[in-house]
Every structure is written in structure tokens, then in C-alpha cells.
Amino acid sequence: MGSRVDTDEDSDNRGSMWDLDQKLDQPMDEEAGRLRNMYREKFLLVQKSSALLLLRLAFQSLGVVYGDLGTSPLYVFYNTFPNGVKDEEDVIGALSLIIYSLTLVPLLKYVFVVLRANDNGQGGTFALYSLLCRHAKIKTIPNQHRTDEDLTTYSRSTFHEKSFAAKTKRWLEEQESAKRAILILVLVGTCMVIGDGILTPAISVLSAVGGIKVNQPRMSSGVVVLVAVVILVGFFSMQHYGTDRVSWLFAPIVLLWFLLIGGIGIFNIWKYGSGVLKAFSPVYIYRYFRRGGKEGWTSLGGIMLSITGTEALFADLAHFPVSAVQLAFTLVVFPCLLLAYSGQAAYLMNNLTHSQDAFYRSIPDRIYWPVFIVATLAAVVASQATITATFSIIKQALALGSFPRVKVVYTSKKFLGQIYVPDINWILMILCIAVTAGFENQNQIGNAYGTAVVIVMLVTTILMILIMILVWRCHWILVLVFTGLSLIVECTYFSSVLFKVDQGGWVPLAIAGAFLIIMSVWHYGTVKRYEFEMHSKVSMAWILGLGPSLGLVRVPGIGLVYTELASGVPHIFSHFITNLPAIHSVVVFVCVKYLPVYTVPEEERFLVKRIGPKNFHIFRCVARYGYKDLHKKDDDFEKKLFENLFTFVRLESMMEGCSDSDEYSLYGQKIEHPRDGLLHNNGSTVSSNMDLTMSSVDSIVPVRSPHHMNITVRSSGQTSSQTEVDEFEFLNTCRDAGVVHILGNTVVRARRESRFYKKIAVDYIYAFLRKICRENSVIFNVPHESLLNVGQIFYV
């Protein structure tokens, strides 16, 4: 894998080179001529290095992005003609459908349109949803603060008040039903991607291993299935090692695969005749449907498999620039796939009864076994791409509160996108083996696969319509053209797969239904818990009325109270001090929240607030993460929390001596004082790259690590410095006395008068998921001896 690169600089280089030539095409001496040649050589060198880097990234993207799409020739014609081919014209019609399906969906829709909708290089259903959440307030858990919009990764567009985009935004924000519909749509797409993670390894490995039976006709189908199951068990068992050590092999394997199927296609066209090339005329599509009728229409489910892997193409985008992925598709993938399908069609026209194993029978005998080995390796790579996409989208769902808390492990220190989810891995393995061994033939797996793929594409199309309106602000005609073309193609395929629901198509629907129930119930419980905390949070007047001691004994130490609230005092705190006679000398409310951005830079991660007057010693720390970030299981979190807390105290003390106003802003700018002018140190002007907003009661500071700032403030007198030293000593003393982690254990129950389905969802499904999922104490790596759980029950 490679890192991202911005190749837009190429056009800038060309423009600069032209300007340079224009300026230097004037009378000049010998020195000026040498200077011109030197600059020209530098520009050419930059252009050459950029082009070489782009080619290298395009090569590497083959192994990660295109494995699934590339292995489709193994099973497309078998699933299109499961009962054999009746007429040569049918082969031409099917090939014509494949050609135009590859052109309209992967090439035009995804490679040149959908890939541009990436979220800072991240692709997939949740990346689109995150983009929408940043441009309209449609997130169902409203835990965002205005300071979140100041993040460097929180990019969004602004609208003219009377524009169509602004009207759409207001409508979405006002309609709660629209917000829920979009979320359900995203969850459905996510569930279908999980279904792909089950069906892709099953059909790819089984189709590749099926080549043994072609060369050894006496071998039973049971042996083929057994070999496929053994490979799948080994494949899933190796997932915890990650792909970092072997990923360098993926690109050469897939490139060799594409070259082989392209070369075999050319050989078959030369050997069996070039008459198949007339399939590039769309007339044969019309003839195919007119002659085949309903049978021809239902065969679209098999044609549909030629574009499977297209959604994985978008989901696995993360580590490559869009231009590299586009280059790989147009130069290698697209032409090789067209040649492979055309070659198989040429073979089938001369061997109408060989549709079930057209790929392997069309291979020349001399290279049969080498191709078989490469096909099996390519199937494993294709499966890995889909599994990686499944892990990634589950991580995103987990971050946005739509999936139960499961263990997420980074498998690579170099590439943060490479993760492993153990629980999901074993579930996928069991279901994949069940599908492989349970179905009678590949055709039923193909029907199931097609159903999952077309539903994911429909979800992407609907989300893309909103992206084009809200994010890109396209003209309504362009939106209409994109919508019309996409829905015509995808609804056509969807109507055909509906005929095969009883022939295997029910499998992804059942899998998606089960995961949709789990994700919906979990999200419902998460939202209700957040609403409970919001509605029952304690007022500042109540806190202030208790006085500095909070009406209790303040014992030495620091209490970290974990809460989902990013503002206000949580109910757990009042519940705690109501039932216990003591509280720690320093209390810090800790909120870990995920934002609709792909990552939050380390230096912008923490927000620190003071709650109440100084002598209360109550703070809030909000740790912000993106959906690609992982709350690592180490001790750095607590260390960084205290570093940012101390930084806040120092800045607050410094600011007290230089202004009388209630609010200040410090963000890479000079601060003007109404009386003293600029902040200074020994008469010199000082600037900082830190955000600081501070109010008298509930202040907030997006702080960065101390080594990022170089600010010294001249205080009037020693009061500010003395206060700073005193509070530093007090905080350090409390930290040395011990840190206790206080977590709320909130139990959600349905009311007695609730309907039966709500009781089942809340009292049984949600309660079961809470019991089996990971505890927050494990996720936050809280030492067991320092953990204090505070239980509470609320009814919904």
C-alpha cells in the first residue's frame, strides 16, 4: 500500500513551465540561458517523479481495490446460463450486456463520479453519511459542539440562503423522519456490505477450486467443497496476523491475473473467431430480451455478477489517490475484463454446452495448472479485499454508535486503516462455511451475491443524490441525469434478482435482516441513553448552591467521571454524591465522542473546560475521535488528558492578568488587549497556534500539547503566577494521591405500558447485546483496582 498523493500539481507545473518559457523567450545572455535550462530540467524532473509515483500507486491499488471485480469472470457465464446456452445469439446478447454494465456502472458511475465523493480519501457508505452529517444536521445523536467545526479535518461547504441546497438542508434538518430514513438506508447498505463479506469468499474460492473438477472429471463435488472449506478456514484463521507482511504480494498477483485473463481472451478471440466483437453494438441487448422473454430477464442476475466488487472498489479507497485508482481501472482492469469476457464468449459460441465451466475449459492446456494456481490466489486476494472493507465499515458503524462495542485491533503500525475485528471475523467464517457447504451449487450462491450487491448500489445512488445537492451543489439537470441513468440500470437488475429470492437470494436478505435488527436496536438504545443524560443533567445553580466542598468531604485524589455528555453536569454525578458522603478534591468529567470526520489530529483531540468557580476544582475534558481513529488500549490517554488539563490551567492563569473581558480567542493570531495592546514578553510581540475560548463559569479550551506553544505572558503583580503555581501543586498532589475512574452503568428498561415489540427490543435484545459487548472500562483500559461503577436505571 502507499500513501496518498495529490497529482493536481501536474497541471500547475505545466502552467508554470509555459509562463517560464514566455518570460524567458526574450533576448538573454549566456547566464540567463543556463538558468532557463536549469529551471526547465527541474520542472521536467518534478513532472517525471509525479508520474512515476502515480504509476506505482496505480499498480499497488490493483491488489487492494480490484481483486473482487477481477475474479468475476470465474463465475459470470455459469450463473447467466446455468442450464446451458440454447443459441449463439444468446451469448452475443449476454456479452453485450456485460460490456455496457461494466461501462455504465464501474467505469462511468463509480470510477469517475462516486470516487470523487470520498471523505478525505475514505470511501464507503459511512463516509458518504459523514459527509452529509457535516453539511446538514442529520446526525441522530446531537453531541456536536460549535468548536468541532473548527477542526482542520471538518471541511464543509456554505450555501446561499435561497439556493436549492440550502432549502434541501433545512428540510432534512426539520424532518425527523427524513433523518431516520437516511440512517436506516445507511444501515441497510452496511448490512449488505457485511453480506458481501460472507458471500465473496464463498463464491470466489469455490469457483476457483472448481477448476480441479474440470481437469479431473471423476472427482466428486463434495471433494471440491471440502477443499474450498479448508482454504476458507485457513484464510479466516490468518486474519489476526493482518496483511502488512504479505500485502506487497497482492498487487503482483492481481496484475498477473489480469494479464493472464486478458491474454487468454485474445487467444480465444483469435482461435474461435472475432464475431463476438459485434456485441459492442447495443442492438444485441434488445434482441436478447426479445428472444429470451422472462428467462432472459431473470438471467440478468448472472450478468449482474460481472460488476460485483464495484462497491468494494469504493470502500477500499482509503490508501490511494483517486487518480491512481482511475488510472489502474482504465489502463488495466477495464480492457482486460472486456478481453476476458469476449474470449469466453467466443469459446462458448463454439461449445454451447460448456457454460458451467467456460472459464477453465477456455484455458489452453499448456498453462492450465499455472492459471489454476493464480486463480486460487486471486480469489484469496479478492476475499481479503472484501473482508478488509467489512472490518472497516463495522469500525465506522461502531464509532457512530450504530454497532455494539467489539474489539478492534490494529494489525499494522504503518497503515492505520488495517484493522482486525476478532468477533466479526469468526462470525463471517462460520456463515461463509455454512453458505459454501449448504448450497447445492454456485448458482444459488451467485443469486445471493447479486441480491446483496445491487442493494448496496441502490443505497449508494440515493446517498450520492444528496451529496451532489448538498456537498457538490450540482445543477439540478446533472443530478437528474445521474439519478436517471443509475436508477434505470440498478432497478433493472434489482427487478431480475427478485425473481431469484427463493433460489438463494433470500440468504443476504436474512443476514442483512439479522444485522439490521442488531444495529437498529443498539442505535435506539444509544440514542435513548444520550437523551436520558441530556434531560436529567444537573443545573449549574444546583452545583453552585452546594459550595466549594459540594456539601461533602473532599478527599485527596482525582476522580475521572466518564459521561456521554459534552456539556453540562451529568446525572451520574448527582447520583454519586447523593449516595456517598465524599468526593475527590479534583473532579474531571471525561467525554469520549466520535465525530463525522475520518480522523481528528492528535494536537486537536482534547477540549478542556472548567465547570464552576476555581475553588470547586471541577473540569471537563472532551476527547474527540474520527471514525477511522482507534482509542488505543494504552496509558497514553490518561497521560495526555492530564497534560492538556495542566496546559489549560497555565493558560487560564496567564490570561487572568491581561484582560478584563469574559471571552478570548487565540488561534494563530495576535491577541489584542483593550488597554495594554498586544500580549508580550519583555516588550516583544507573542503569537501562538492554540485555540482558547474562556468564559467565567463554563469555559472551553481546545488545547494542544505544551511543546506546540511558545507563549509567555507578563502578569501584573505576582497574583496570577502564584495562583498558577498553587493550582499546579494542588493538581499534582491530587494526582499523586490517586486517580479513580467512575463509570456509569446505566440499565435501560421498557415501561410496563410499552408495546410487546418494544419490550422485546429493549428488555431482551438490547440487554443481551449490552451483556455480551465490551465494557467501557475495557475500552478505556481502566485498571480494575481504580474502577468505580455507579448504577442507575431509566425507563423508555
Side-chain angles (χ1 to χ4, degrees), residues 62-365:
L62 288 172
V64 177
V65 176
Y66 292 112
D68 191 8
L69 188 64
T71 52
S72 296
L74 287 169
Y75 44 78
V76 168
F77 279 112
Y78 170 48
N79 285 274
T80 305
F81 304 111
N83 301 317
V85 184
K86 297 177 182 178
D87 191 276
E88 291 182 5
E89 285 277 316
D90 290 342
V91 178
I92 300 294
L95 177 61
S96 187
L97 280 166
I98 292 171
I99 291 171
Y100 285 98
S101 295
L102 284 170
T103 303
L104 291 173
V105 180
L107 181 64
L108 296 182
K109 179 188 173 183
Y110 276 85
V111 172
F112 289 109
V113 179
V114 175
L115 289 187
R116 291 183 58 239
N118 64 85
D119 183 14
N120 289 280
Q122 307 300 319
T125 308
F126 267 101
L128 296 179
Y129 182 63
S130 297
L131 271 177
L132 292 174
C133 287
R134 294 208 299 272
H135 288 80
K137 295 178 181 178
I138 60 173
K139 194 177 178 185
T140 52
I141 303 178
N143 63 347
Q144 289 180 230
H145 192 274
R146 58 184 175 82
T147 54
D148 297 335
E149 299 176 9
D150 296 329
L151 290 170
T152 54
T153 53
Y154 199 100
S155 58
R156 62 173 184 169
S157 305
T158 55
F159 311 114
H160 189 275
E161 291 184 4
K162 296 183 179 180
S163 66
F164 181 64
K167 293 177 182 177
T168 305
K169 176 178 179 290
R170 284 195 295 270
W171 181 81
L172 287 173
E173 291 176 348
E174 292 169 0
Q175 301 291 326
E176 290 297 325
S177 58
K179 295 179 184 179
R180 286 194 292 268
I182 293 173
L183 178 65
I184 291 173
L185 198 66
V186 171
L187 295 183
V188 168
T190 303
C191 294
M192 289 300 171
V193 171
I194 296 173
D196 284 353
I198 296 167
L199 296 169
T200 298
I203 193 170
S204 298
V205 174
L206 189 60
S207 299
V209 174
I212 300 176
K213 193 176 178 181
V214 175
N215 196 267
Q216 303 290 331
R218 296 181 180 179
M219 185 177 292
S220 67
S221 299
V223 176
V224 175
V225 171
L226 181 61
V227 173
V229 167
V230 170
I231 292 175
L232 289 172
V233 171
F235 168 71
F236 282 102
S237 299
M238 298 293 289
Q239 287 298 311
H240 68 281
Y241 291 110
T243 59
D244 195 29
R245 298 178 182 177
V246 294
S247 59
W248 62 274
L249 284 171
F250 289 176
I253 289 171
V254 175
L255 178 61
L256 178 60
W257 168 252
F258 277 119
L259 294 177
L260 279 173
I261 62 175
I264 293 170
I266 293 173
F267 171 79
N268 286 324
I269 293 171
W270 169 78
K271 182 176 181 180
Y272 297 105
S274 59
V276 292
L277 298 181
K278 58 187 178 182
F280 282 87
S281 171
V283 174
Y284 289 93
I285 297 177
Y286 168 73
R287 293 182 180 178
Y288 180 76
F289 288 131
R290 187 184 64 180
R291 185 172 53 255
K294 181 182 176 181
E295 187 178 348
W297 190 265
T298 56
S299 70
L300 282 175
I303 303 292
M304 173 73 195
L305 298 180
S306 65
I307 54 176
T308 56
T310 306
E311 190 62 33
L313 178 156
F314 182 42
D316 287 329
L317 181 63
H319 295 288
F320 303 99
V322 172
S323 53
V325 177
Q326 292 172 334
L327 188 66
F329 187 84
T330 51
L331 292 185
V332 178
V333 179
F334 187 63
C336 287
L337 285 177
L338 292 183
L339 288 171
Y341 287 119
S342 298
Q344 283 191 53
Y347 174 83
L348 272 179
M349 288 180 67
N350 291 271
N351 302 273
L352 298 179
T353 59
H354 291 174
S355 61
Q356 291 193 358
D357 39 32
F359 174 78
Y360 279 112
R361 287 185 180 273
S362 65
I363 299 173
D365 293 336

Side-chain angles (χ1 to χ4, degrees), residues 468-533:
M468 294 178 78
I469 295 172
L470 295 177
V471 182
W472 295 349
R473 290 171 289 173
C474 296
H475 194 278
W476 65 269
I477 294 179
L478 289 176
V479 178
L480 201 61
V481 169
F482 173 82
T483 305
L485 288 176
S486 298
L487 290 182
I488 287 172
V489 175
E490 289 159 12
C491 287
T492 301
Y493 279 124
F494 185 65
S495 65
S496 69
V497 298
L498 288 178
F499 287 105
K500 298 187 176 182
V501 170
D502 61 335
Q503 302 172 33
W506 59 270
V507 171
L509 298 178
I511 294 170
F515 276 99
L516 183 61
I517 290 173
I518 291 172
M519 295 174 75
S520 300
V521 169
W522 183 264
H523 186 78
Y524 175 80
T526 303
V527 171
K528 289 302 177 184
R529 286 179 60 200
Y530 183 80
E531 289 177 353
F532 169 75
E533 288 210 32

